[in-house]
């Protein structure tokens, strides 16, 4: 597969726009890669410029980078299967986390079986998008709203459902340092609710400390973050697990919508090789 250059990435961004919403995650990755020098990743395609498969693959700089997922966009299952079986673009001998369209689940299971690699279905998510932020409410919070600091990474990681020790804490620290975040601070200046931006430009890791819930913090933070992302020209979207009806209702109430035919799934392979300190 071909690694895209900086100039080719600009064209890839325009091409991916044509395949929204199914290309949303890959598009979000490329948007940030084209604008922010952080979290280096290779963007690879099976053919250029008329690609059928595009991968966003993090560049491993340290052991913790193994935890980062590889984003896969494909136009059809045959092209995807061929790209993964006929090349060694993925190292199937190490831990892998892959995200892709749910419609390709059987294709990916077949590829993994061919490679003799055990896989685990980790999460299936709705993808919700906001196209117009002008109707979002003002935050109306009397508490101080700020951005997260790197020193808050451990706190955020310890409350995150998908944490994997030091690996995920390092990833969260990089998210805080490089991408937009927002939090509500208590009277001591400590975060009690927050939301971050993934390197795919999706907003997420939304959380409110139990003792501070039912105060409207989540709604306010989503609104603030959506406006912030929109002002930068970034796509405004999020992933919500299928069983998280509370978050789904929250985002829907703020005008986020989804294509009901599209779901994103995360699969992990060789989990026995993931050993955070």
């Amino acid at each position: 597969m071909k690694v895209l250059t900086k100039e080719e990435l600009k064209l890839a961004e325009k091409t991916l726009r044509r395949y929204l919403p199914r290309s949303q995650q890959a598009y979000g990755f490329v948007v940030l890669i084209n604008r922010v020098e952080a979290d280096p990743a290779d963007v690879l395609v099976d053919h250029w410029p008329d690609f059928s498969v595009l991968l966003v693959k993090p560049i491993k700089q340290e052991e913790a980078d193994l935890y980062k997922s590889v984003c896969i966009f494909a136009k059809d299952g045959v092209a995807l299967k061929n790209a993964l079986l006929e090349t060694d673009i993925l190292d199937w001998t190490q831990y892998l986390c892959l995200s892709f369209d749910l419609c390709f689940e059987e294709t990916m299971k077949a590829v993994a079986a061919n490679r003799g690699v055990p896989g685990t279905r980790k999460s299936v998510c709705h993808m919700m998008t906001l196209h117009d932020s002008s109707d979002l409410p003002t935050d109306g919070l009397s508490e101080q709203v700020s951005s997260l600091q790197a020193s808050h990474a451990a706190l955020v990681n310890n409350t995150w459902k998908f944490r994997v020790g030091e690996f995920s804490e390092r990833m969260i620290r990089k998210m805080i340092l490089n991408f937009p975040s927002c939090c509500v601070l208590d009277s001591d200046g400590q975060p009690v609710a927050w939301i971050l931006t993934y390197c795919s430009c999706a907003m997420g890791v939304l959380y409110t400390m139990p003792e501070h819930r039912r105060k409207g913090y989540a709604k306010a933070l989503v609104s603030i973050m959506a406006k912030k992302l929109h002002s930068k020209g970034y796509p405004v979207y999020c992933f919500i697990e299928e069983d998280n009806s509370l978050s789904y209702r929250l985002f829907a109430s703020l005008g986020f919508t989804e294509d009901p035919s599209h779901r994103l799934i995360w699969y992990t392979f060789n989990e026995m090789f993931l050993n955070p300190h």
Side-chain angles (χ1 to χ4, degrees):
M1 296 183 75
K2 171 182 170 58
V3 179
L4 299 186
T5 65
K6 287 185 177 181
E7 288 303 313
E8 290 168 338
L9 281 168
K10 295 175 183 177
L11 178 57
E13 180 179 329
K14 295 178 181 178
T15 302
L16 287 168
R17 279 186 63 89
R18 301 206 303 265
Y19 295 95
L20 294 172
R22 293 186 179 277
S23 63
Q24 183 68 75
Q25 189 186 37
Y27 173 71
F29 268 112
V30 173
V31 165
L32 282 186
I33 289 170
N34 283 339
R35 292 162 179 78
V36 181
E37 292 188 6
D39 270 5
D42 285 330
V43 179
L44 305 106
V45 294
D46 57 343
H47 302 288
W48 183 256
D50 300 317
F51 58 85
S52 294
V53 179
L54 180 146
L55 274 67
V56 182
K57 182 183 176 184
I59 296 173
K60 182 182 175 182
Q61 296 179 311
E62 57 185 14
E63 188 180 8
D65 290 335
L66 281 175
Y67 178 73
K68 298 175 182 176
S69 62
V70 176
C71 165
I72 299 175
F73 165 72
K75 297 178 184 177
D76 66 81
V78 173
L80 175 59
K81 188 174 183 179
N82 289 340
L84 295 183
L85 287 180
E86 296 175 3
T87 72
D88 291 320
I89 194 62
L90 297 179
D91 185 354
W92 294 93
T93 67
Q94 293 188 332
Y95 171 83
L96 278 176
C97 181
L98 309 179
S99 62
F100 50 90
D101 193 310
L102 179 60
C103 71
F104 297 129
E105 181 175 15
E106 293 306 314
T107 299
M108 294 302 299
K109 287 166 68 174
V111 170
N114 180 276
R115 297 282 187 172
V117 176
T120 303
R121 192 189 219 225
K122 299 300 287 188
S123 182
V124 179
C125 293
H126 302 278
M127 188 191 75
M128 304 192 74
T129 306
L130 184 71
H131 298 289
D132 183 1
S133 63
S134 61
D135 292 330
L136 289 172
T138 54
D139 60 78
L141 294 178
S142 56
E143 294 81 357
Q144 182 181 356
V145 176
S146 181
S147 297
L148 287 165
Q149 304 299 315
S151 59
H152 300 142
L155 171 65
V156 174
N157 184 62
N158 288 338
T159 59
W160 191 34
K161 175 181 179 180
F162 299 106
R163 66 186 178 275
V164 183
E166 186 179 342
F167 284 2
S168 53
E169 183 177 331
R170 290 184 185 179
M171 186 188 80
I172 286 173
R173 183 176 294 109
K174 288 183 178 180
M175 289 165 61
I176 291 172
L177 288 171
N178 297 312
F179 309 123
S181 67
C182 191
C183 66
V184 176
L185 302 176
D186 64 13
S187 57
D188 295 323
Q190 295 300 308
V192 296
W194 50 80
I195 189 169
L196 286 76
T197 306
Y198 290 103
C199 51
S200 63
C201 210
M203 60 172 66
V205 202
L206 176 64
Y207 186 81
T208 301
M209 293 290 196
E211 63 272 24
H212 292 277
R213 291 174 184 171
R214 306 186 71 85
K215 297 179 181 180
Y217 290 171
K219 185 175 184 178
L221 289 176
V222 171
S223 298
I224 294 168
M225 179 65 85
K227 291 177 181 178
K228 183 181 294 188
L229 293 173
H230 189 266
S231 70
K232 293 178 176 292
Y234 295 164
V236 180
Y237 74 107
C238 66
F239 294 109
I240 297 175
E241 288 187 278
E242 284 189 322
D243 60 355
N244 192 344
S245 57
L246 186 64
S247 287
Y248 187 96
R249 290 196 299 270
L250 168 65
F251 281 86
S253 73
L254 292 170
F256 284 74
T257 59
E258 70 161 331
D259 178 344
S261 69
H262 178 54
R263 295 282 192 282
L264 213 72
I265 186 169
W266 276 259
Y267 252 83
T268 58
F269 303 91
N270 295 324
E271 285 195 346
M272 61 281 199
F273 295 139
L274 187 63
N275 295 306
H277 302 298

